[in-house]
Amino acid sequence: MNRIEEIIAIMEDVSRYPAKAIRESMEETGKEVIGCFPLYTPEEIVYAAGMIPVGLWGGQKEIKKADKYLQSFCCSIMKENMEHGMEGSYEFLSAIIIPAYCDTLKCVCENWKAAVPDIPLIAMVYPQNRKITAGVEYLVNEYKRVKDELEKISGKKITEKELEESIDLYEEYRKTMSQFVAIASKYPRTIDAKKRHSIIKAAYFTDKKWYIPLIKELTTELNMLPEEAFNGIKVIATGILAEPEVLLDTLVQNNITFAADDLAHESRQFRTGVSNSGTPLERLALRIAGNQKCALLYDEEKTRGQLLLDLVKEYKADGVVVFMMKFCDPEEFDYPIYKKELEAAKIPMLYLEIEQKMDSVEQIRTRIQSFKEMLTV
Amino acid sequence: MFLGVDIGSTTSKAVILDSKLNILSASVINTGTGTLGPEKTVKAVLSKAGLNEKEIQYSVVTGYGRMTYQKADKQITEISCHARGTFFLKPNARTIIDIGGQDAKVIRLDEDGRVKNFAMNDKCAAGTGRFLEVMARILDCRINRLSVLSQKATEEINISNTCTVFAESEVISQLAAGVKRENVAKGAHKAVAKRVAGLAGRIGVEPDVVMTGGVALNKSVVDALEQEIKEKVTVLKKPQIVGALGAALYAFEMIDM
Ligand code: SF4
């Protein structure tokens, strides 16, 4: 096994067994762990509090208990998170943070208190008009509240310096990841769609101080190899997240790779950095203000279509694959708008409606294979 | 000789072509995916053509059951095969509507017969042959008579539930309320057409519109569909074998290339 394979195997292991990885991080660092619901949860503040933020993005459990709180028309990520919470799989968490973006998340905040009373909840709301001064001020106040709550849990004050250091670390993470995905697109065989997903996902369950050097090393090692020739299909992935894994397996089997992505679970995490001026919390709030083209952040100009078109052009992609999380209203509202723009530009598009746990994937297999045949046969 | 096999959820179809692309034989067996249906249909198509297995130069399998059928040289999706088969029979086709036993698809073609886009229904019986089967059962009518029954309708009723299970109870209460069977039958055909028209709306409809798949044999669905999409719908002569024909055409190309 060479070093590249070794690092990939480590990341795959972390993504496959997140609970194990989290417990190991806890043992090594002696830190407490805070669960972060999607999306843009202020991990920097958690880290500055001396705790490890871990991402809670659902799973593949059979839903039994969560149905008590969430109707069948809620997205599967939230049902999975609720099920995991109620089943006790999050018992090692000292608290969870839920940002309320969509209708489902708003309800989940309330449900959580009743359903999982043992894990304290820190709820927060992102402002709709996040770019105006009032929006930024409001968000700074929300962050302050989150900070206060975290201080109560850890029993110690978070200093400005700790916040600055944490922000620096996260900026380094974002830079490292942006470099990684750019380089990875040149090695579609070594870093196929599934491996790429596992590598990015591993960040959610580990201490960034452990994770960043490994990704840097991986990027450097890749960069020393000659670019890989690829006769398959290169696509841009968009949506909330690209799971379940069997979808990625099917993509790989059909020789389809991700040239780049616009997934909330992946690039949307790291493509926008903080602002350089202001107090630490203002810098974080301005990062959200500057963040564009995401279904979860109000975008009056509807620029996501253009982003996808730019990515297709930049990476010479053959098409766009839409991973539509079933019942995710923010994503569904965006779809008709960018669909029109992609169609007008004659960009082939594959629409996959997904749930995290899918019992029958035959239909989706046929769609993926047909998409490949459409572009190659 | 080239063999195409199309294994659907409820039927298995096969076509044999000679090297001049003449259809030597075709067969449709009312057993879908599994071992029996595909084997029977291949046997039937070979014997009709007076051939044995060894004379087949290349074979392609398609359809829902294509992954589990081991005997073919290659597997290709039903989307590509329906496109190829339809274009071969009707080069003016730009939109294909294929309604099978358990799924529905709409495929858009370009001038060269290549697939431009497609849409499939999700794992749901609404808008498929299965929906009509359920309706036929409640109406106590044989499935192949459902269309005839519907032609006698005096009134158009609406079945508002798309879900087959809910639609079933809706229809039962309509019958209990005295709605005539033929009117319900007409409503059922319209419900399928509406659902499929919705699917077509996702990718747009461009004439000529051609219908394939077993449900194309049902005139009431075709009529209702024409009304819904406001385009003339042409039904190919043997709409069920179009996928298998497409598979056989691919088989021919594999050797010819
Ligand atoms: S934004 Fe979408 S995926 Fe996220 S919780 Fe809301 S509905 Fe679910």
Side-chain angles (χ1 to χ4, degrees):
Chain A
M1 217 190 236
N2 65 30
R3 188 61 185 148
I4 293 179
E5 288 164 346
E6 250 171 51
I7 298 176
I8 294 174
I10 295 171
M11 297 300 166
E12 283 178 327
D13 200 51
V14 169
S15 303
R16 201 166 297 137
Y17 308 106
K20 181 175 150 251
I22 295 169
R23 284 184 196 282
E24 279 171 9
S25 295
M26 289 170 81
E27 269 166 37
E28 271 165 37
T29 59
K31 291 181 180 179
E32 284 185 80
V33 177
I34 302 288
C36 297
F37 271 51
L39 179 75
Y40 308 127
T41 317
E43 292 192 20
E44 292 88 341
I45 309 179
V46 177
Y47 201 90
M51 299 189 266
I52 305 176
V54 300
L56 305 180
W57 289 73
Q60 262 87 44
K61 244 191 197 338
E62 195 185 327
I63 305 295
K64 287 187 195 140
K65 297 187 172 161
D67 281 342
K68 194 172 156 197
Y69 292 98
L70 296 177
Q71 304 89 328
S72 46
F73 52 77
C74 293
C75 76
S76 58
I77 303 187
M78 286 309 120
K79 281 203 257 181
E80 286 286 343
N81 276 4
M82 191 58 101
E83 185 74 24
H84 277 91
M86 294 175 79
E87 273 282 321
S89 11
Y90 293 156
E91 46 151 36
F92 47 77
L93 298 178
S94 300
I96 59 157
I97 305 177
I98 306 185
Y101 288 101
C102 62
D103 290 348
T104 308
L105 277 162
K106 279 176 209 154
C107 303
V108 165
C109 288
E110 290 311 310
N111 290 331
W112 187 271
K113 294 179 205 161
V116 197
D118 298 339
I119 303 179
L121 159 73
I122 306 173
M124 63 167 297
V125 176
Y126 276 88
Q128 175 92 343
N129 291 303
R130 61 192 193 286
K131 292 180 204 162
I132 59 174
T133 318
V136 175
E137 271 172 27
Y138 168 84
L139 187 52
V140 169
N141 275 318
E142 279 295 273
Y143 283 158
K144 262 193 201 130
R145 209 168 45 73
V146 172
K147 181 170 153 275
D148 291 347
E149 300 274 343
L150 288 167
E151 285 172 346
K152 271 185 227 154
I153 294 167
S154 71
K156 76 174 208 25
K157 284 265 168 231
I158 302 172
T159 64
E160 290 273 298
K161 187 165 165 270
E162 281 165 338
L163 264 177
E164 290 291 0
E165 279 170 8
S166 171
I167 291 175
D168 287 347
L169 179 70
Y170 271 80
E171 281 297 280
E172 197 184 340
Y173 157 71
R174 290 189 268 267
K175 214 174 84 203
T176 307
M177 295 317 288
S178 302
Q179 275 163 356
F180 166 71
V181 290
I183 296 293
S185 71
K186 297 180 185 158
Y187 303 92
R189 288 204 307 259
T190 307
I191 312 289
D192 62 28
K194 190 176 176 188
K195 295 202 171 91
R196 186 183 185 276
H197 171 76
S198 300
I199 294 166
I200 297 173
K201 184 176 175 178
Y204 286 106
F205 313 122
T206 50
D207 189 323
K208 295 284 182 293
K209 274 198 183 135
W210 173 88
Y211 178 80
I212 296 169
L214 282 173
I215 300 298
K216 280 190 173 162
E217 193 184 347
L218 177 60
T219 310
T220 314
E221 291 280 336
L222 281 172
N223 223 352
M224 287 190 306
L225 301 175
E227 266 186 46
E228 283 173 359
F230 183 65
N231 61 0
I233 293 167
K234 290 196 280 180
V235 296
I236 308 297
T238 188
I240 295 283
L241 94 170
E243 281 185 5
E245 272 194 7
V246 41
L247 282 189
L248 296 169
D249 284 331
T250 311
L251 288 169
V252 174
Q253 279 157 14
N254 282 288
N255 219 4
I256 299 175
T257 194
F258 292 169
D261 80 87
D262 162 48
L263 296 164
H265 186 240
E266 304 190 6
S267 285
R268 285 190 213 166
Q269 291 288 324
F270 46 75
R271 68 180 177 212
T272 314
V274 295
S275 147
N276 286 329
S277 59
T279 65
L281 295 186
E282 278 166 3
R283 294 176 67 196
L284 290 178
L286 288 167
R287 168 173 181 246
I288 299 299
N291 202 335
Q292 303 268 35
K293 306 170 181 111
C294 172
L296 276 69
L297 300 171
Y298 175 57
D299 175 13
E300 62 275 50
E301 283 157 37
K302 306 289 173 224
T303 47
R304 181 162 168 196
Q306 192 54 49
L307 167 83
L308 293 171
L309 289 172
D310 291 345
L311 286 173
V312 167
K313 204 167 156 200
E314 182 181 345
Y315 288 92
K316 297 192 177 66
D318 302 296
V320 171
V321 177
V322 180
F323 290 87
M324 182 58 75
M325 178 59 63
K326 209 169 179 173
F327 306 124
C328 173
D329 37 302
E331 282 286 326
E332 281 173 350
F333 286 141
D334 264 10
Y335 176 66
I337 305 170
Y338 67 78
K339 172 181 183 248
K340 234 192 223 157
E341 293 174 40
L342 291 175
E343 275 173 357
K346 295 202 161 51
I347 308 291
M349 206 185 341
L350 174 65
Y351 178 91
L352 302 175
E353 188 172 54
I354 57 163
E355 285 178 282
Q356 280 199 299
K357 186 168 162 50
M358 299 177 77
D359 297 323
S360 122
V361 288
E362 277 322 308
Q363 275 256 4
I364 287 206
R365 270 192 219 282
T366 300
R367 283 180 209 215
I368 292 175
Q369 192 185 334
S370 299
F371 183 68
K372 176 186 95 174
E373 289 169 3
M374 182 173 116
L375 294 175
T376 52
V377 178
Chain B
M1 305 300 150
F2 307 94
L3 170 67
V5 187
D6 178 2
I7 310 175
S9 56
T10 50
T11 52
S12 303
K13 288 82 61 176
V15 165
I16 294 179
L17 287 178
D18 67 14
S19 46
K20 295 212 172 68
L21 300 185
N22 298 307
I23 299 181
L24 292 187
S25 63
S27 89
V28 179
I29 298 279
N30 284 326
T31 316
T33 180
T35 34
L36 209 61
E39 261 171 33
K40 265 195 192 163
T41 198
V42 170
K43 226 180 183 176
V45 81
L46 283 168
S47 93
K48 268 193 206 169
L51 295 170
N52 67 45
E53 250 177 76
K54 292 201 186 74
E55 289 168 272
I56 300 294
Q57 290 158 271
Y58 203 90
S59 61
V60 168
V61 62
T62 185
Y64 179 71
R66 70 186 185 284
M67 297 287 188
T68 44
Y69 185 76
Q70 304 294 343
K71 288 190 184 153
D73 297 305
K74 192 178 168 72
Q75 58 95 354
I76 295 178
T77 65
E78 52 271 37
I79 302 273
S80 303
C81 288
H82 273 274
R84 187 58 53 101
T86 305
F87 191 74
F88 178 75
L89 297 173
K90 203 167 182 314
N92 285 337
R94 293 293 174 271
T95 308
I96 304 170
I97 296 179
D98 168 53
I99 311 183
Q102 303 225 353
D103 65 2
K105 308 173 199 73
V106 181
I107 308 166
R108 290 280 303 273
L109 300 181
D110 66 13
E111 309 70 69
D112 303 319
R114 273 194 301 260
V115 177
K116 267 206 319 203
N117 205 349
F118 61 90
M120 287 169 81
N121 73 327
D122 300 297
K123 43 176 186 191
C124 168
T128 73
R130 181 89 193 104
F131 182 86
L132 293 174
E133 273 172 28
V134 171
M135 291 301 141
R137 183 167 46 75
I138 309 170
L139 295 172
D140 198 17
C141 166
R142 286 216 316 273
I143 180 74
N144 51 9
R145 304 290 301 165
L146 192 66
S147 178
V148 178
L149 180 66
S150 143
Q151 309 277 335
K152 293 191 197 129
T154 52
E155 219 186 301
E156 243 189 50
I157 63 135
N158 250 326
I159 299 177
S160 49
N161 279 296
T162 34
C163 167
T164 308
V165 181
F166 290 136
E168 191 172 348
S169 27
E170 184 182 341
V171 162
I172 291 173
S173 24
Q174 281 182 343
L175 290 171
V179 177
K180 284 204 255 158
R181 283 169 75 233
E182 47 270 34
N183 294 347
V184 171
K186 180 151 191 188
H189 289 103
K190 205 173 105 185
V192 169
K194 267 197 173 159
R195 182 80 183 181
V196 175
L199 191 67
R202 283 197 217 162
I203 55 166
V205 174
E206 185 192 341
D208 292 357
V209 182
V210 172
M211 199 172 158
T212 63
V215 176
L217 295 168
N218 179 321
K219 187 164 180 317
S220 298
V221 170
V222 180
D223 291 348
L225 204 54
E226 285 186 333
Q227 276 186 14
E228 289 298 328
I229 61 170
K230 300 187 179 58
E231 289 288 349
K232 188 178 157 12
V233 173
T234 310
V235 177
L236 297 174
K237 224 166 152 202
K238 285 187 180 164
Q240 281 167 295
I241 64 156
V242 177
L245 170 65
L249 287 165
Y250 273 117
F252 168 78
E253 282 165 26
M254 294 311 293
I255 293 293
D256 197 42
M257 272 192 321

